[in-house]
C-alpha cells in the first residue's frame, strides 16, 4: 500500500513529502543512548516514535534499514566506572549492564529491534579512518594527540539549527583549552596516556562523541542516508556536527530528512535530575503497564512537547482498557490492507505520524465498528502491527497510589540507589501487603 508520507524536516523547517533516494528502500539512522544510567521517559518517547515510523515505512512497502547505536565509550561512562568500580577502564562493564537494561525496556515497550545496533567500541578502525579522511580534506587538524574539526572550514555549518558562525562566536565560552585554533572547533579524537584505549596515527586515545554517529551511519547505511532522527536536544551541536563531518568527507547531502521528537516535560519544566522531576522507564513501569505508556506516547504527537504526568497516564490507562475490551479475544486480528477504516487511519499516520488523529478515527467509528466484525478485526490488526499495541487485557490489580504508597515507593527507590538491598526488600514486602507488586530490577 504506497501512500505519500509527510514528515516535518528540521532542515527545511517544514512538513514535506518524504522521498527517499531510492524509491523502494529507506536508510534510517537514529541516535541511541549512552548506556551509563537507566533510560528515562524522554528516551521512551523518542524510541517509540521512531519505532512507529519504522513500522509505517515497512507498511508503505519500503525495505527499511534502521540503525540505532550505543555510545559505549564516553566521559559519562568513564566517570560512572570510576565512581562505582573505582576504575574508569572498566567502563565496558557499566555499558553492558545498562545496554541490557535498555534492551529490556525496549522489549517491554514493544519496540522492534533495529536492523543494526552498532556499538562505538566495535567500529574504532572506521572512526580512525573517518578522522584521517577529514584531516586529508583540510577539515580537521591534530594537536598534541587530539584531533579537532575546524568548524570554519565548513561553510554550511549551522544550517540545521539555523545559527550563523557569528552568533556562535558570540556565545562561545572562552575555554581553558588553547589547543584549538578556534573556540568553535570540536574534538574528533581525544588523546589519552600511552597504552590506554586505542592506538591511532595521533597516539593513544578515544573518539569524540559526534564522530561516532557519522562513522557508524556511513559504515552501516552509506555516505548518504534518507532519515536521521533523534531528540530535539540533539539538533545542536550533535547533529550540526554530524553534518559537518559527514558532508565534509562525502559531500552533501548527508541526510535527506531530519526528524526530531520534542521534549518530555514534567510540570511544564524540562526533566532534569537536579529538579527532581526525573523518571526512569522502570519507575513508571512499576505503576503502569508498558503498553499504557506506549499508548500514552502515541496519543501525543511527536512534534509537540509532552507534558508528562501520572494523572495523564491514569487517563491513558482507562482508555487503553476500553480499547482492549473493544478488541477482546472474540475479535480476531485479520489482514488490514483491504480495510477502508484502516486505510483512513494510515492516512492520519502518514500525515507526520499523527497518532492522536488515528485514534480519533476509531472513536468516530466506534459504533459502526461494533457491528462490523470484519472491519473491527482489521483495525485490531492495525493497532497490533502498526502501532505496536498488543491489546492484551491488563491485570485487574491496579491499586490507587495513595500518598502513603508513594512515600514507600520513593523510600524504596532511594534505598536502591544507595544499594541498601536489605531495606529495599523490606519496603518491597510492605508494599506487597498494600497490594503493590514492584518489579525487581537487576542490581
Ligand atoms: Zn548521534
Amino acid at each position: 500500500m504506497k501512500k505519500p508520507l509527510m514528515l516535518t524536516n528540521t532542515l527545511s523547517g517544514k512538513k514535506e513529502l518524504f522521498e527517499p533516494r531510492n524509491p523502494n528502500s529507506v536508510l534510517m539512522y537514529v541516535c541511541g543512548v549512552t548506556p551509563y544510567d537507566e533510560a528515562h521517559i524522554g528516551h521512551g518517547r523518542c524510541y517509540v516514535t521512531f519505532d512507529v515510523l519504522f513500522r509505517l515505512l515497512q507498511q508503505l512497502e519500503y525495505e527499511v534499514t534502521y540503525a540505532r547505536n550505543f555510545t559505549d565509550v564516553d566521559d559519562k561512562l568513564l566517570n560512572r566506572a570510576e565512581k562505582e568500580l573505582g576504575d574508569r577502564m572498566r567502563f565496558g562493564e557499566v555499558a553492558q549492564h545498562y545496554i541490557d537494561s535498555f534492551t529490556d525496556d525496549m522489549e517491554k515497550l514493544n519496540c522492534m529491534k533495529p536492523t543494526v545496533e552498532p556499538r562505538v567500541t566495535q567500529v574504532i578502525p572506521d572512526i580512525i579512518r573517518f578522522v584521517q579522511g577529514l584531516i586529508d580534506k583540510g577539515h580537521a587538524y591534530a594537536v598534541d594527540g587530539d584531533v579537532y574539526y575546524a568548524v570554519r572550514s565548513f561553510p554550511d555549518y549551522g544550517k540545521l539549527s539555523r545559527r550563523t558562525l557569528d552568533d556562535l562566536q558570540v556565545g562561545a565560552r572562552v575555554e581553558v583549552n588553547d589547543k584549538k585554533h578556534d573556540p568553535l572547533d570540536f574534538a574528533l579524537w581525544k588523546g589519552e596516556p600511552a597504552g590506554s584505549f586505542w592506538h591511532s596515527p595521533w597516539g593513544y586515545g578515544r573518539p569524540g562523541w559526534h564522530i561516532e554517529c557519522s562513522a557508524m551511519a556511513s559504515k552501516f547505511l552509506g555516505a548518504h542516508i534518507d532519515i536521521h532522527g533523534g531528540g530535539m536536544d540533539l539538533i545542536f551541536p550533535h547533529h550540526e556536527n554530524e553534518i559537518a563531518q559527514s558532508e565534509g568527507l562525502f559531500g552533501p547531502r548527508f541526510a535527506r530528512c531530519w526528524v526530531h521528537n520534542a521534549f518530555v516535560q514534567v510540570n511544564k519544566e524540562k526533566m532534569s535530575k537536579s529538579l527532581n522531576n526525573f523518571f526512569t522507564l522502570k519507575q513508571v513501569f512499576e505503576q503502569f503497564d508498558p503498553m499504557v505508556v506506549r499508548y500514552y506516547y502515541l496519543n501525543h504527537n511527536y512534534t509537540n512537547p509532552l507534558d508528562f504526568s501520572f494523572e495523564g497516564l491514569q487517563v491513558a490507562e482507562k482508555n487503553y482498557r476500553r480499547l482492549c475490551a473493544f478488541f477482546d479475544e472474540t475479535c480476531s486480528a485479520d489482514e488490514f490492507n483491504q480495510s477502508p477504516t484502516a486505510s483512513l487511519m494510515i492516512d492520519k499516520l502518514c500525515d507526520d505520524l499523527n497518532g492522536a488523529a488515528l485514534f480519533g478515527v476509531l472513536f468516530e467509528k466506534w459504533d459502526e465498528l461494533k457491528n462490523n466484525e470484519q472491519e473491527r478485526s482489521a483495525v485490531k490488526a492495525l493497532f497490533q502491527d502498526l502501532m505496536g499495541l498488543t491489546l492484551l487485557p491488563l491485570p485487574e490489580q491496579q491499586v490507587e497510589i495513595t500518598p502513603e504508597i508513594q512515600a514507600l515507593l520513593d523510600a524504596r527507590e532511594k534505598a536502591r540507589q544507595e544499594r541498601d538491598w536489605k531495606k529495599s526488600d523490606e519496603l518491597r514486602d510492605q508494599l506487597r501487603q498494600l497490594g503493590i507488586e514492584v518489579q525487581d530490577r537487576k542490581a
Side-chain angles (χ1 to χ4, degrees):
M1 201 190 303
K2 270 272 196 271
K3 286 173 182 269
L5 169 62
M6 303 295 288
L7 288 173
T8 297
N9 186 352
T10 310
L11 198 57
S12 64
K14 292 193 202 89
K15 185 157 83 174
E16 53 185 48
L17 180 68
F18 170 68
E19 289 176 291
R21 294 164 56 84
N22 177 324
N24 297 314
S25 63
V26 174
L27 303 171
M28 176 163 87
Y29 186 93
V30 176
C31 293
V33 291
T34 300
Y36 77 104
D37 206 346
E38 297 294 349
H40 55 66
I41 52 177
H43 294 125
R45 180 180 205 195
C46 177
Y47 301 121
V48 165
T49 299
F50 289 100
D51 181 58
V52 170
L53 181 53
F54 184 36
R55 290 167 185 262
L56 176 63
L57 288 164
Q58 293 175 83
Q59 175 60 31
L60 299 178
E61 293 175 359
Y62 291 109
E63 195 187 302
V64 190
T65 313
Y66 171 20
R68 184 183 66 202
N69 69 294
F70 287 111
T71 298
D72 64 344
V73 54
D74 176 90
D75 289 340
K76 288 175 188 152
L77 258 169
L78 301 183
N79 292 342
R80 189 100 192 195
E82 174 77 59
K83 212 173 119 195
E84 288 192 358
L85 305 172
D87 178 1
R88 71 181 195 136
M89 294 311 287
R90 290 175 67 186
F91 63 91
E93 294 165 50
V94 177
Q96 189 59 52
H97 171 79
Y98 289 110
I99 286 173
D100 291 343
S101 181
F102 175 81
T103 303
D104 176 55
D105 290 341
M106 290 301 110
E107 274 170 19
K108 287 204 169 85
L109 283 172
N110 202 21
C111 289
M112 293 171 73
K113 258 196 164 327
T115 323
V116 275
E117 290 184 280
R119 301 182 186 193
V120 175
T121 54
Q122 296 164 342
V123 297
I124 299 293
D126 305 271
I127 292 174
I128 290 173
R129 267 197 300 278
F130 205 113
V131 174
Q132 187 61 54
L134 286 171
I135 294 175
D136 295 344
K137 290 215 157 188
H139 286 300
Y141 55 91
V143 189
D144 295 345
D146 292 346
V147 181
Y148 296 98
Y149 190 97
V151 166
R152 287 185 189 276
S153 74
F154 184 70
D156 269 350
Y157 194 82
K159 68 176 171 183
L160 184 69
S161 54
R162 289 182 195 77
R163 297 173 198 223
T164 66
L165 285 176
D166 292 333
D167 295 342
L168 291 167
Q169 191 71 66
V170 172
R173 274 175 298 157
V174 183
E175 288 184 51
V176 197
N177 182 348
D178 56 3
K179 288 189 197 173
K180 292 186 197 176
H181 295 172
D182 187 304
L184 296 181
D185 295 350
F186 59 90
L188 298 172
W189 187 261
K190 300 174 173 183
E192 289 280 354
S196 62
F197 295 94
W198 294 275
H199 189 254
S200 80
W202 320 287
Y204 282 89
R206 58 190 169 96
W209 172 32
H210 314 297
I211 192 68
E212 302 163 355
C213 287
S214 283
M216 285 186 272
S218 72
K219 181 178 170 77
F220 294 98
L221 303 177
H224 302 99
I225 66 175
D226 298 304
I227 296 175
H228 194 310
M232 226 168 239
D233 51 332
L234 295 182
I235 295 173
F236 186 85
H238 184 54
H239 289 164
E240 201 70 74
N241 291 352
E242 279 191 43
I243 291 177
Q245 294 161 163
S246 294
E247 297 192 0
L249 190 59
F250 302 119
R253 178 169 156 191
F254 171 39
R256 289 202 149 202
C257 186
W258 286 84
V259 180
H260 291 102
N261 66 283
F263 294 115
V264 173
Q265 301 172 314
V266 178
N267 300 325
K268 308 264 180 217
E269 283 184 291
K270 202 181 159 212
M271 252 190 346
S272 80
K273 283 184 181 165
S274 56
L275 286 171
N276 205 20
N277 63 357
F278 189 91
F279 298 102
T280 67
L281 287 168
K282 288 191 167 56
Q283 283 171 322
V284 177
F285 295 164
E286 284 182 356
Q287 295 182 46
F288 290 93
D289 189 279
M291 277 303 102
V292 171
V293 181
R294 185 173 174 110
Y295 176 76
Y296 179 65
Y297 288 136
L298 296 176
N299 262 290
H300 293 83
N301 290 342
Y302 79 99
T303 48
N304 299 329
L306 166 58
D307 219 357
F308 177 89
S309 71
F310 284 91
E311 294 74 37
L313 274 169
Q314 272 159 8
V315 174
E317 185 181 292
K318 219 179 253 172
N319 289 332
Y320 185 68
R321 279 178 187 281
R322 261 181 88 200
L323 216 61
C324 294
F326 191 68
F327 298 106
D328 65 8
E329 62 275 15
T330 65
C331 174
S332 59
D334 283 347
E335 170 68 27
F336 60 86
N337 275 327
Q338 304 301 323
S339 152
T341 318
S343 175
L344 211 57
M345 288 177 161
I346 296 170
D347 288 344
K348 302 294 181 193
L349 215 51
C350 285
D351 181 15
D352 211 12
L353 307 181
N354 195 337
L358 181 149
F359 290 114
V361 172
L362 171 70
F363 294 115
E364 246 166 61
K365 295 196 169 273
W366 191 269
D367 290 332
E368 207 181 297
L369 290 177
K370 233 192 273 181
N371 302 313
N372 186 335
E373 197 54 42
Q374 201 182 343
E375 278 295 279
R376 200 152 62 103
S377 298
V379 171
K380 183 178 189 181
L382 177 137
F383 279 138
Q384 290 179 346
D385 298 350
L386 202 52
M387 302 302 270
L389 295 168
T390 54
L391 297 176
L392 297 169
L394 301 177
E396 272 312 323
Q397 155 232 309
Q398 305 308 322
V399 182
E400 201 197 332
I401 305 296
T402 61
E404 180 201 4
I405 289 171
Q406 189 60 53
L408 288 171
L409 287 168
D410 292 345
R412 181 161 182 275
E413 185 55 33
K414 188 160 171 284
R416 290 181 61 82
Q417 273 167 13
E418 289 165 359
R419 305 238 177 295
D420 186 346
W421 307 120
K422 188 166 169 282
K423 180 142 185 225
S424 150
D425 288 346
E426 282 169 18
L427 288 161
R428 184 195 57 208
D429 294 341
Q430 282 183 46
L431 282 160
R432 194 171 278 163
Q433 282 170 10
L434 294 168
I436 302 282
E437 203 59 51
V438 286
Q439 288 173 17
D440 260 322
R441 299 176 234 156
K442 274 178 265 173

